[in-house]
Amino acid sequence: MKVNMNKIILFLLCLGFFSAFGQHSLPIQMDTSIYKYEVIGTGILDYGGTSIKNEISQKLLYGGFIDSEMKYRSLNSHKLQNRVGVDASGEIEFRDYTAKIFNQDKYGYFVRGGYYNYTSAAYSKDVFNLVFNGNTSYLGDTAKLSGSQANEFSFQKIGFGFIDKKSKSNIGINYYNISSIADAYIRSGNLIMDSTASNVQLDMGGQFRYADGKKFNKGWGIGLDADFRIPVRWVNESQAFFQVQLKNIGFMSVKNVTQYTANATYDFSGFKFSQFIGDSSMSISNSEDLLDSLGVEKRTKNQISLLPGFIQIGKVVDYSSNKIVQSYFGVRLHTSLNYTPLIYAGGEVKIYKWMRVGVQGSYGGFSNFRLGFYSQYDFGKYHVGIGSEDLIGAFSNKAYGESIHFRLTRLW
Amino acid sequence: MNKLYFLFFVVIGLSSCRKEATRWNSDWSAPLLNDTLTLMNWVNDSTLNVDNSGYYDVNLQRELFRFDLNSIVGIPDTTLQNNFSIPSSINIPPGYSFVNQTEERDLQLNPVELTKIHLKKGQISILLKNPYPTKVICSIQLPGLTKNGVVVSSTIEVPAGSLINPTSGTKIIDLAGSQMDLTGLSGGSNNKLLSNITVTSDPNGPSFTSTIAYVTQVYATIKNVELEYAKGFFGQQTIVDTVEADVELLKKWIDGTIDLPSLNLNLKLINGIKAMGRINLKELTTTKSNGTTTTLTSSQINIPQNVNSAAGSWSSLIPSETNFIFQTNNSNLQDFLENAGSKIKLVYEFVLNPLGNISGSWNEFFPNSVVKLDLTLTMPLGFALDNFTITDTFKLDLTNYQKQLDQARTGEMIIDLKNSFPIEGGLMLKFIDEYNQTLVALSEFKTIKSCLFGSTSSSSGTQIQETQIVWQFTEEDFKKLSSTKNIIVIGKFNTPDPATMMNSSVWLSEKCFLGCKLRLNLNYESKYE
């Protein structure tokens, strides 16, 4: 009873500590124990960037007013090119280890469902300044917009696959519903303003696409999840496990994607009276009229593209090992161009048999260097993990991201 | 333990809960309008001319009315009926012509008496009803009607019918380009249409017995006739009519006065038909929207004037002209125009052949003949304006922009003007909703100074006055603007003399222009939920 109370108090302390800052992180472990069934629920809310400070990111995510001081501080930390991204997802999975697949005791099966949202952008400093401060600060100057791009995907999946009962290696196929998709890029772009705002010149080569309509189903996709655990000989004759994980690797097809393409230099000094007055006048109530007058080409088409998936390769912690301290490290690659390869390395400490904590460092992804932390608690048949891949962001409004990862497992 | 998990999810849920919209303010500047107004668009548009000194002259030319000659001298849609029967019982063998008759029918055009016409378009529709128990072949010839020199004729075959249910056959003859002699069988009459109809029994059909009960009915319908030439006596006809015109520009004049220089108003009746006439301009009035009416008084008003016949013919036709010239010394023209309202009304009477048929039935009109009344107003484009105020309403539907306008915080509209007109103007804007209620009024008249107060441009040699007008918008203004359906622009104009500061006459040169650059500065709150 005393042990149980300690567990609860310690758990609540950790929970209270991290939830106050809204972020945490998780380990990936190798567990060769044999179970009958397993239900795993995971949730991730992770955003980060190279330049936008948390005081703005938090307002963007949770609401509130972004004042000029906040914008000034973030603008100053921007470089020529910058990145930002959000990963918000949740998954639930049921594993059946009692089944005999292919008439072999070795394999079980799993079913999996989940919701995912990926939003990311790579952008110039001037794009940030334009969005948050407007164009008035560019009077008599040029805003450089080239090389900026952004995308947003929301999709749901349901999948089925097979799992090695001991190593937990698994592979499965998923069907995806695409509920939202949008992307934009500015291949070349300069906004040139004269000193009195009497003339605006926009050199623009870019595109904006989005799936139009209010339907929940805007497209579909087929993809693969796989998780291979590979034992290797490690230092001091010990054994370690490496993981090769693929998630949401596949393609999607989306119907009725509206595409606006601009590829010209627009020199605008103002409309003419005749454009407002008379039979051939332009209706400013109609944005299509306005885009037409600017020579922006509009098309509607079907689009086939890659799902926003990722591949992670690295050493994982052995859950059944007697070691107090274990290392883990690896590399993570996203299919998004805005996500640079992320490398991470960390160590896990088994404090009690029922409690583990880990600390890690990472570099890359949507952000630069991040320090992560996680804790895991075993309550009999329940395992709870909570952590963050960005510990600094939990303490500081001046950091560049926040991260909370949560996992709950029920074993039978 | 379950409570622990519940608490955990609640805390996590609350910590990630969005409580309000994300908002931030940004400053935007953009050009909206950049244009130069001149009067050059109206030159050579029957409105303005430029004289040898480079100044504008008003040369307003408008057609007040034009007679439709086909409504005076024309052939209305007419149906003529002929019945043919054999008075006694007779056996009709196959291929036997049992009707062969020439008819002369009056077209009933009184008081018009036509002897010859050329048709630009028109049709004759022939309908034949056959009561006989065999097919009949009807041959129709119109001896007075020729097309390309050939007499117009046609044939209709009508299947067998019966006394109770006669069968019908129709044929439409196109009259476009044809000529018609209407002098009849005697050659000295008028309005007479000749026709010759032959009805023959089917050469391959049975014989049958015809009695008096068998009647072959033929209907000839003349319709959609438009003449391009007519000869005869066009009748003594009197046309009394009223022409009313709404002058949109004058509707916008709501206050103030205008002082015009010497001017000429010429009303010219052009008669392109070879017939005499008489014209009487009974009344010419102008009425303002407040009901004030000014009447043009002159010795030429309400006095009939004879109109001569046109001379020549066809391509050598020379219309006659009857002029009414109004000037400041023979009428109250200046007062009439300085008080011009938007509604202008002319009451006139035109009598054709007022002396009767004195031409020996030799009235004619030709394809190029017109009878019309033209107006020509000429004057130097000069005037003195004293608080001359005009207003105009433009559509500006901002109701689809409610969200954006609600997020606008402050704004200013800056207009940079370069004025080389010797006119001082004041501008006021009103934004109104669908019920014509004023939402936002930029009520202070902002003055655009006359070029006479400016400096001379070294490049163009014209005087130019530069003015900047700034209108401020508050957050409340922007919120109200979201119901805008129209914008009212009110302009007040004067022509002050820099020496005396009194309004005096100015003349507009072809170099006059008003350059206008409008830009917007906006503080805007971006917001998303």
Side-chain angles (χ1 to χ4, degrees):
Chain A
M1 184 66 188
K2 189 180 177 183
V3 172
N4 282 345
M5 278 307 294
N6 283 341
K7 282 182 182 179
I8 292 168
I9 290 167
L10 191 54
F11 174 79
L12 285 176
L13 282 174
C14 289
L15 185 64
F17 175 77
F18 287 112
S19 62
F21 293 90
Q23 59 159 18
H24 309 275
S25 86
L26 263 195
I28 296 172
Q29 293 159 333
M30 176 66 200
D31 184 1
T32 53
S33 307
I34 301 296
Y35 306 107
K36 287 183 178 176
Y37 306 103
E38 189 175 7
V39 173
I40 307 164
T42 57
I44 298 170
L45 175 58
D46 190 326
Y47 67 86
T50 56
S51 315
I52 297 178
K53 292 184 183 292
N54 279 358
E55 57 189 349
I56 286 184
S57 306
Q58 285 168 351
K59 302 288 183 190
L60 289 171
L61 284 173
Y62 310 127
F65 186 73
I66 300 169
D67 64 32
S68 50
E69 294 289 314
M70 296 176 189
K71 292 188 285 186
Y72 177 77
R73 284 189 287 269
S74 277
L75 182 64
N76 275 350
S77 64
H78 273 71
K79 298 176 180 60
L80 214 55
Q81 282 294 314
N82 309 273
R83 297 188 306 277
V84 68
V86 180
D87 174 359
S89 59
E91 258 187 20
I92 188 157
E93 179 178 335
F94 170 72
R95 294 179 174 182
D96 183 351
Y97 299 109
T98 63
K100 287 185 179 179
I101 303 297
F102 308 126
N103 225 3
Q104 291 190 39
D105 277 340
K106 193 177 174 185
Y107 301 112
Y109 72 88
F110 67 86
V111 290
R112 184 181 289 162
Y115 170 86
Y116 307 85
N117 175 274
Y118 294 104
T119 304
S120 67
Y123 59 96
S124 70
K125 181 178 182 176
D126 288 348
V127 167
F128 176 87
N129 196 23
L130 266 183
V131 169
F132 285 97
N133 291 319
N135 70 345
T136 302
S137 59
Y138 288 96
L139 292 178
D141 202 353
T142 299
K144 298 177 180 66
L145 316 174
S146 300
S148 299
Q149 58 178 328
N151 54 52
E152 186 269 340
F153 303 94
S154 291
F155 57 90
Q156 303 75 41
K157 79 174 177 189
I158 184 160
F160 172 83
F162 308 110
I163 185 164
D164 184 298
K165 292 175 182 175
K166 191 176 180 193
S167 71
K168 306 298 186 294
S169 290
N170 61 75
I171 186 166
I173 190 163
N174 305 309
Y175 175 81
Y176 298 85
N177 172 62
I178 312 299
S179 56
S180 173
I181 177 173
D183 64 58
Y185 68 81
I186 302 173
R187 191 176 53 249
S188 61
N190 286 306
L191 180 72
I192 304 161
M193 310 255 320
D194 74 351
S195 58
T196 60
S198 297
N199 182 268
V200 178
Q201 185 178 314
L202 180 64
D203 301 327
M204 175 61 79
Q207 195 174 76
F208 169 57
R209 297 184 295 188
Y210 71 103
D212 205 357
K214 293 180 178 173
K215 276 172 57 180
F216 182 66
N217 169 243
K218 294 190 174 69
W220 60 274
I222 294 287
L224 188 73
D225 285 352
D227 186 347
F228 300 111
R229 307 297 174 94
I230 304 159
V232 296
R233 186 179 297 278
W234 200 239
V235 291
N236 297 329
E237 299 298 315
S238 64
Q239 180 179 255
F241 290 92
F242 273 74
Q243 178 205 42
V244 177
Q245 185 182 19
L246 293 80
K247 183 158 271 189
N248 300 329
I249 302 299
F251 70 91
M252 60 183 161
S253 170
V254 184
K255 287 182 178 175
N256 298 324
V257 173
T258 303
Q259 174 180 304
Y260 293 95
T261 306
N263 199 356
T265 295
Y266 306 102
D267 195 0
F268 183 68
S269 300
F271 295 104
K272 301 289 179 193
F273 283 113
S274 59
Q275 287 175 279
F276 291 106
I277 302 166
D279 295 338
S280 58
S281 64
M282 180 184 70
S283 166
I284 67 162
S285 306
N286 189 344
S287 55
E288 299 294 329
D289 271 8
L290 201 61
L291 290 173
D292 271 355
S293 72
L294 294 173
V296 174
E297 180 194 332
K298 181 184 177 186
R299 287 175 61 195
T300 300
K301 61 174 199 172
N302 297 339
Q303 177 184 330
I304 295 176
S305 56
L306 285 178
L307 284 163
F310 73 86
I311 300 169
Q312 181 167 291
I313 302 167
K315 178 181 178 293
V316 296
V317 170
D318 183 357
Y319 187 75
S320 53
S321 169
N322 291 324
K323 290 179 182 173
I324 301 295
V325 178
Q326 290 187 70
S327 66
Y328 61 94
F329 53 83
V331 60
R332 188 185 301 164
L333 307 164
H334 262 260
T335 54
S336 167
L337 290 174
N338 300 330
Y339 192 93
T340 60
L342 177 136
I343 53 171
Y344 63 91
E348 180 186 282
V349 181
K350 184 157 67 175
I351 296 174
Y352 300 110
K353 190 180 175 187
W354 53 271
M355 178 184 176
R356 298 152 182 266
V357 296
V359 178
Q360 70 180 49
S362 65
Y363 189 87
F366 294 127
S367 190
N368 292 323
F369 177 75
R370 300 173 102 190
L371 184 65
F373 176 87
Y374 69 83
S375 58
Q376 178 167 320
Y377 313 92
D378 299 342
F379 301 109
K381 296 183 184 306
Y382 292 92
H383 292 184
V384 177
I386 188 164
S388 170
E389 290 190 357
D390 192 345
L391 194 58
I392 300 167
F395 296 99
S396 173
N397 274 343
K398 309 295 184 291
Y400 300 100
E402 283 189 299
S403 166
I404 179 167
H405 291 217
F406 169 75
R407 182 166 67 194
L408 174 64
T409 306
R410 169 71 164 95
L411 301 165
W412 284 272
Chain B
M1 201 59 190
N2 286 341
K3 288 181 180 174
L4 179 64
Y5 292 133
F6 176 73
L7 178 65
F8 174 78
F9 283 117
V10 168
V11 173
I12 290 292
L14 289 177
S15 69
S16 61
C17 207
R18 179 192 287 275
K19 293 176 181 62
E20 57 176 311
T22 300
R23 298 173 292 117
W24 69 90
N25 287 355
S26 49
D27 294 302
W28 297 89
S29 301
L32 290 183
L33 188 70
N34 182 6
D35 208 350
T36 300
L37 295 177
T38 71
L39 300 178
M40 289 305 289
N41 288 344
W42 290 354
V43 173
N44 299 325
D45 183 30
S46 305
T47 305
L48 292 179
N49 279 341
V50 178
D51 69 15
N52 294 332
S53 306
Y55 283 87
Y56 287 111
D57 282 338
V58 175
N59 185 14
L60 185 69
Q61 295 176 27
R62 297 289 184 270
E63 183 179 292
L64 293 184
F65 65 76
R66 175 188 288 250
F67 288 137
D68 176 8
L69 295 180
N70 274 277
S71 70
I72 303 171
V73 184
I75 298 176
D77 291 357
T78 307
T79 298
L80 307 172
Q81 184 185 353
N82 280 334
N83 295 337
F84 303 100
S85 62
I86 299 168
S88 56
S89 179
I90 184 173
N91 183 53
I92 307 287
Y96 179 72
S97 295
F98 54 95
V99 173
N100 188 343
Q101 206 163 327
T102 299
E103 290 281 329
E104 178 183 272
R105 300 303 301 266
D106 195 308
L107 290 172
Q108 306 288 334
L109 302 177
N110 187 49
V112 178
E113 297 169 359
L114 297 179
T115 55
K116 190 170 186 184
I117 55 175
H118 293 186
L119 292 92
K120 187 176 180 184
K121 66 177 190 180
Q123 296 169 339
I124 290 186
S125 171
I126 309 286
L127 169 68
L128 185 136
K129 290 189 176 179
N130 173 25
Y132 298 106
T134 184
K135 181 175 82 174
V136 297
I137 298 132
C138 178
S139 173
I140 299 154
Q141 218 179 28
L142 300 166
L145 185 64
T146 58
K147 193 170 183 178
N148 301 321
V150 179
V151 173
V152 173
S153 62
S154 188
T155 301
I156 309 172
E157 290 190 6
V158 185
S162 67
L163 277 174
I164 298 170
N165 289 313
T167 51
S168 298
T170 59
K171 193 86 174 186
I172 293 173
I173 303 170
D174 182 17
L175 300 179
S178 63
Q179 302 178 9
M180 196 180 288
D181 183 338
L182 298 172
T183 55
L185 289 167
S186 69
S189 187
N190 55 66
N191 299 342
K192 298 296 188 293
L193 176 67
L194 291 176
S195 63
N196 178 264
I197 295 175
T198 304
V199 181
T200 306
S201 60
D202 183 1
N204 302 314
S207 299
F208 61 93
T209 302
S210 174
T211 67
I212 195 166
Y214 288 88
V215 178
T216 305
Q217 296 173 301
V218 180
Y219 298 86
T221 301
I222 304 169
K223 57 185 179 181
N224 304 325
V225 169
E226 190 177 317
L227 304 182
E228 58 182 3
Y229 171 78
K231 181 183 169 189
F233 173 55
F234 293 165
Q236 188 178 45
Q237 300 189 56
T238 300
I239 300 155
V240 180
D241 202 0
T242 299
V243 179
E244 286 188 325
D246 277 325
V247 182
E248 287 297 321
L249 185 67
L250 293 174
K251 268 186 185 173
K252 293 161 186 164
W253 178 10
I254 57 171
D255 199 9
T257 61
I258 182 169
D259 182 24
L260 297 172
S262 62
L263 30 81
N264 289 294
L265 176 66
N266 185 18
L267 297 178
K268 180 164 62 182
L269 185 88
I270 295 172
N271 177 23
I273 63 177
K274 294 188 74 171
M276 280 191 64
R278 183 181 292 158
I279 180 76
N280 183 1
L281 303 181
K282 297 175 84 72
E283 188 179 68
L284 182 57
T285 59
T286 172
T287 305
K288 287 188 169 180
S289 51
N290 62 10
T292 309
T293 297
T294 306
T295 303
L296 183 68
T297 55
S298 164
S299 59
Q300 299 171 88
I301 294 290
N302 206 21
I303 302 293
Q305 286 200 29
N306 286 333
V307 176
N308 289 331
S309 169
S313 62
W314 299 102
S315 60
S316 66
L317 184 73
I318 302 169
S320 73
E321 292 182 359
T322 306
N323 286 288
F324 298 83
I325 298 170
F326 301 100
Q327 294 172 326
T328 48
N329 58 3
N330 70 0
S331 68
N332 65 337
L333 181 62
Q334 189 154 9
D335 183 49
F336 181 80
L337 290 177
E338 287 177 359
N339 290 286
S342 61
K343 195 175 285 296
I344 295 174
K345 187 171 80 171
L346 170 68
V347 182
Y348 69 91
E349 180 185 87
F350 182 77
V351 182
L352 187 63
N353 287 316
L355 303 176
N357 190 359
I358 59 170
S359 64
S361 294
W362 201 290
N363 294 160
E364 280 180 299
F365 79 74
F366 303 90
N368 52 345
S369 292
V370 292
V371 178
K372 62 174 184 172
L373 184 68
D374 284 344
L375 174 148
T376 304
L377 175 67
T378 54
M379 64 178 221
L381 186 55
F383 41 73
L385 301 176
D386 186 16
N387 287 328
F388 182 82
T389 308
I390 58 172
T391 183
D392 206 350
T393 303
F394 301 99
K395 275 197 170 179
L396 183 72
D397 189 347
L398 298 180
T399 53
N400 292 334
Y401 293 91
Q402 179 169 7
K403 189 180 167 199
Q404 290 85 344
L405 288 165
D406 281 351
Q407 290 173 224
R409 294 292 164 261
T410 59
E412 57 182 11
M413 225 160 55
I414 302 165
I415 311 175
D416 289 307
L417 296 143
K418 283 186 178 179
N419 183 21
S420 78
F421 284 96
I423 302 170
E424 177 187 283
L427 274 183
M428 189 164 87
L429 299 181
K430 281 184 184 177
F431 297 83
I432 58 173
D433 64 12
E434 60 184 316
Y435 308 108
N436 287 331
Q437 298 296 310
T438 301
L439 302 166
V440 176
L442 303 175
S443 54
E444 184 191 349
F445 267 104
K446 302 283 187 180
T447 302
I448 306 163
K449 283 190 174 172
S450 159
C451 74
L452 300 179
F453 293 83
S455 52
T456 303
S457 162
S458 56
S459 56
S460 63
T462 55
Q463 281 185 290
I464 297 173
Q465 174 66 45
E466 295 188 10
T467 309
Q468 186 176 74
I469 293 175
V470 179
W471 272 304
Q472 307 278 354
F473 290 88
T474 65
E475 187 174 341
E476 281 305 304
D477 289 338
F478 281 119
K479 284 192 184 345
K480 290 177 188 170
L481 287 178
S482 61
S483 302
T484 299
K485 283 285 189 181
N486 291 296
I487 182 170
I488 297 176
V489 180
I490 302 167
K492 184 186 283 186
F493 301 97
N494 287 289
T495 50
D497 183 331
T500 63
M501 295 308 291
M502 302 291 287
N503 288 324
S504 57
S505 288
V506 294
W507 281 262
L508 305 187
S509 85
E510 63 177 333
K511 291 179 180 173
C512 289
F513 68 89
L514 178 67
C516 179
K517 286 185 179 180
L518 168 64
R519 64 185 198 273
L520 180 71
N521 290 335
L522 183 68
N523 181 261
Y524 185 79
E525 182 183 271
S526 298
K527 180 161 73 175
Y528 76 91
E529 305 289 337

